[in-house]
Amino acid sequence: MTAIPQGRTRKSVLAGAMCALVVTGAGLTGCGGEDPDAGTNGVGKLAPAKIQSRTQSAARAAETVRLSGAVISNKRTYKLDMRLKDDGGTGSVTSKGVTFRLLRVDEQLFIKADADFWDHQDGKGDDGTTDATAAGKLEGMYVKVPKGDPAYQQLSVFTDKDVLLDGLLALHGELATDGRHEQNGIRTIRLTGDEGSGGKLDISLEGKPYPLLLVRAAGAGTLRLTDWDKDFALEAPAKNETVDYGQQLPSS
């Protein structure tokens, strides 16, 4: 029987112990030569800039997505739950404790809210009705937003898939990867800007490299991106559910 040199035995034991420590402490694999990217879409092997490019391309090409979470802009917090596709979107927006629903089908934009949303002061309109009276008539109705009204540009942004994704998915500063993670059972690679201060983005390692979780720079909110390519119905409301004020919305 050939004896194993003592030095080689010590090295083998040490290597095995180190591998066990890495696997146990960090939840990683690969000490036995396994590829951590086996069975993934391969983006984890790419340079950070290439990962970002692949992710943005996948997001733009997707037919639908659902965005939920919070966005902070100009010191104001907007809680979103929007389902979006190329020709419009639908969902809810909450700001300052007031929730309203948005629906856009092609270029037609509608807003639906309760009376409190419309009733901000008890003034009188040109027709002599008070704000409270008008608010009561608008409650639960889809109010059409005229394209010429300033509110159209402000609100339609929340229903525009490409505009929202292009604006939200941009990380700031030097790009880097920050390990492997998991979102709702899906393996992800985390991309960061300026070590996280410029934002963090978890990207799926399974199937298409869709972004799944965004932590915006400077604490400007966190968003989940789900239901990629899951179709949903998008139709204009019936006429008996709609109010059309013509060229200008009532003040809100």
Side-chain angles (χ1 to χ4, degrees):
M1 180 176 181
T2 304
I4 300 175
Q6 191 67 23
R8 183 177 299 175
T9 301
R10 285 197 295 268
K11 289 181 180 179
S12 299
V13 171
L14 180 60
M18 289 299 294
C19 183
L21 178 63
V22 169
V23 171
T24 303
L28 302 176
T29 59
C31 291
E34 295 180 7
D35 182 0
D37 289 296
T40 72
N41 54 26
V43 297
K45 299 178 180 180
L46 304 177
K50 193 68 174 178
I51 295 175
Q52 183 183 55
S53 176
R54 291 277 184 92
T55 300
Q56 291 174 337
S57 295
R60 292 191 193 102
E63 293 187 1
T64 65
V65 64
R66 181 175 184 175
L67 270 67
S68 57
V71 173
I72 301 172
S73 178
N74 295 324
K75 298 182 179 180
R76 188 168 179 174
T77 300
Y78 299 90
K79 294 182 179 179
L80 309 179
D81 188 0
M82 299 295 302
R83 301 188 73 181
L84 309 170
K85 56 173 56 176
D86 289 338
D87 57 351
T90 183
S92 65
V93 179
T94 301
S95 181
K96 293 186 176 180
V98 177
T99 299
F100 55 93
R101 294 193 63 82
L102 290 174
L103 169 64
R104 183 175 64 84
V105 182
D106 295 322
E107 294 187 352
Q108 295 185 87
L109 177 66
F110 303 89
I111 183 169
K112 182 178 182 180
D114 59 22
D116 290 340
F117 176 84
W118 301 106
D119 183 18
H120 286 264
Q121 56 184 356
D122 196 21
K124 288 188 176 182
D126 294 336
D127 59 358
T129 60
T130 64
D131 289 341
T133 302
K137 293 180 179 180
L138 297 178
E139 183 170 20
M141 300 292 287
Y142 285 96
V143 179
K144 190 172 183 179
V145 184
K147 288 198 69 176
D149 193 293
Y152 187 95
Q153 294 299 326
Q154 298 167 2
L155 297 174
S156 63
V157 170
F158 292 116
T159 67
D160 194 314
K161 170 180 168 285
D162 290 339
V163 170
L164 271 180
L165 293 180
D166 286 347
L168 293 174
L169 297 183
L171 299 177
H172 304 286
E174 184 177 355
L175 295 177
T177 54
D178 184 23
R180 309 302 177 90
H181 302 269
E182 186 177 293
Q183 297 295 333
N184 295 326
I186 300 175
R187 291 175 291 171
T188 65
I189 181 80
R190 181 165 295 167
L191 196 63
T192 65
D194 276 348
E195 299 182 342
S197 63
K200 302 176 184 178
L201 189 64
D202 274 28
I203 298 157
S204 176
L205 288 172
E206 302 176 19
K208 295 181 181 179
Y210 290 133
L212 302 181
L213 179 70
L214 170 68
V215 179
R216 302 185 70 208
T222 299
L223 284 170
R224 292 192 177 276
L225 301 95
T226 58
D227 293 351
W228 289 100
D229 275 329
K230 291 185 178 180
D231 197 17
F232 61 93
L234 190 63
E235 298 179 351
K239 287 186 177 181
N240 62 357
E241 299 177 305
T242 306
V243 176
D244 190 344
Y245 268 87
Q247 296 303 310
Q248 186 176 358
L249 284 178
S251 60
S252 60

